[in-house]
């Protein structure tokens, strides 16, 4: 028993570190992509309040969709099938990344009138799917962790701390470092690479979770 205990403790620590890192990165990506996309749209619509309000409502709506999926998908799909489906969902944004506003969407920009509908379509086509998938990460991993036999499964406040730290770093980091250092195309490419890292962490989380 004494020889097995350190191994189990090591796996428990690995689970905590992996989940914390995954949640940290997902929150950071969420708060990096919002101002990045806003800066892409800025030359077309400017910075009027209506534009920012529409973006805010869009992101909140997609965030709610992500939380709804994370809440109900384990019930609909079952505990074993749900992680497999989620990994498939994680792969979908790779078909639309890196984030950019296509020429086809730009040509549909209305010359006169209210551009709200165009803005919603633009956001949905450019960042909607990646944002939705990343938004599912935090509630999904928290749900997975709560279903493990880890001793902290019922009191996982450290996961919220990791997520909050990632949110703060993403928001402040964009203003202080990300935006002044990289061009928009570079920002989109780096964000895509970080998303790939997140997908890898998610995959490892599902494997480690199944062993607990």
């Amino acid at each position: 028993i004494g020889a097995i205990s350190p191994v189990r403790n090591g796996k428990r620590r690995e689970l905590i570190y992996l989940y914390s890192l995954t949640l940290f990165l997902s929150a950071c990506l969420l708060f990096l992509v919002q101002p990045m996309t806003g800066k892409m749209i800025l030359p077309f619509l400017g910075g009027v309040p209506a534009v920012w309000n529409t973006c805010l409502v869009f992101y909140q709506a997609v965030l709610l969709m992500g939380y709804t999926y994370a809440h109900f998908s384990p019930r609909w799909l079952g505990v074993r099938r749900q992680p497999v489906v989620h990994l498939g969902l994680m792969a979908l944004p790779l078909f639309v990344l890196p984030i950019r506003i296509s020429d086809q969407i730009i040509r549909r920009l209305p010359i006169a009138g209210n551009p709200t509908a165009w803005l919603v379509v633009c956001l949905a086509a450019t960042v909607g799917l990646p944002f939705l998938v990343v938004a599912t990460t935090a509630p999904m991993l928290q749900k997975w962790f709560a279903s493990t036999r880890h001793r902290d499964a019922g009191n996982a406040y450290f996961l919220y701390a990791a997520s909050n730290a990632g949110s703060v770093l993403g928001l402040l980091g964009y203003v202080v470092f990300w935006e002044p250092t990289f061009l928009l195309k570079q920002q989109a490419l780096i964000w895509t690479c970080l998303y790939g890292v997140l997908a890898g962490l998610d995959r490892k989380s599902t494997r480690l979770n199944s062993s607990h």
Side-chain angles (χ1 to χ4, degrees), residues 63-79:
L63 191 66
L64 180 60
M65 291 171 59
Y67 283 12
T68 302
Y69 160 80
H71 180 74
F72 288 106
S73 59
R75 301 181 184 180
W76 296 336
L77 301 171
V79 178

Side-chain angles (χ1 to χ4, degrees), residues 24-37 40 59 90 92-100 126-135 137 166 170-171 174 178 182-199:
F24 176 86
L25 180 58
S26 68
C28 188
L29 288 176
L30 281 180
F31 279 83
L32 282 173
V33 75
Q34 295 179 57
M36 182 179 75
T37 309
M40 292 179 180
Y59 287 127
M90 289 289 298
L92 292 180
L94 297 176
F95 293 98
V96 298
L97 291 173
I99 295 170
R100 66 183 182 89
T126 57
V127 73
L129 183 58
F131 189 88
L132 173 64
V133 175
V134 175
T137 302
L171 187 60
Y174 187 87
W178 189 278
F182 304 112
L183 300 174
L184 274 176
K185 288 185 178 180
Q186 294 173 326
Q187 294 177 27
L189 288 174
I190 296 172
W191 196 94
T192 301
C193 293
L194 291 176
Y195 179 84
V197 174
L198 178 65

Side-chain angles (χ1 to χ4, degrees), residues 93-114:
L94 297 176
F95 293 98
V96 298
L97 291 173
I99 295 170
R100 66 183 182 89
I101 301 177
S102 66
D103 294 335
Q104 183 179 4
I105 294 178
I106 294 174
R107 287 194 294 268
R108 294 182 179 180
L109 176 64
I111 300 176
N114 192 335

Side-chain angles (χ1 to χ4, degrees), residues 5 7-20 141-159 208-212:
S5 180
V7 176
R8 290 181 176 176
N9 289 336
K11 287 186 177 180
R12 287 176 177 176
R13 287 195 296 269
E14 182 184 1
L15 187 68
I16 290 178
Y17 295 150
L18 177 61
Y19 273 50
S20 298
L141 262 67
Q142 290 164 8
K143 202 171 188 67
W144 288 351
F145 185 78
S147 66
T148 66
R149 296 188 297 271
H150 195 280
R151 61 186 179 185
D152 295 324
N155 188 28
Y157 286 104
F158 64 91
L159 294 179
L208 196 60
N209 183 71
S210 62
S211 65
H212 285 71

Side-chain angles (χ1 to χ4, degrees), residues 112-129:
N114 192 335
T116 301
W118 178 88
L119 177 57
V120 172
V121 172
C122 177
L123 290 170
T126 57
V127 73
L129 183 58

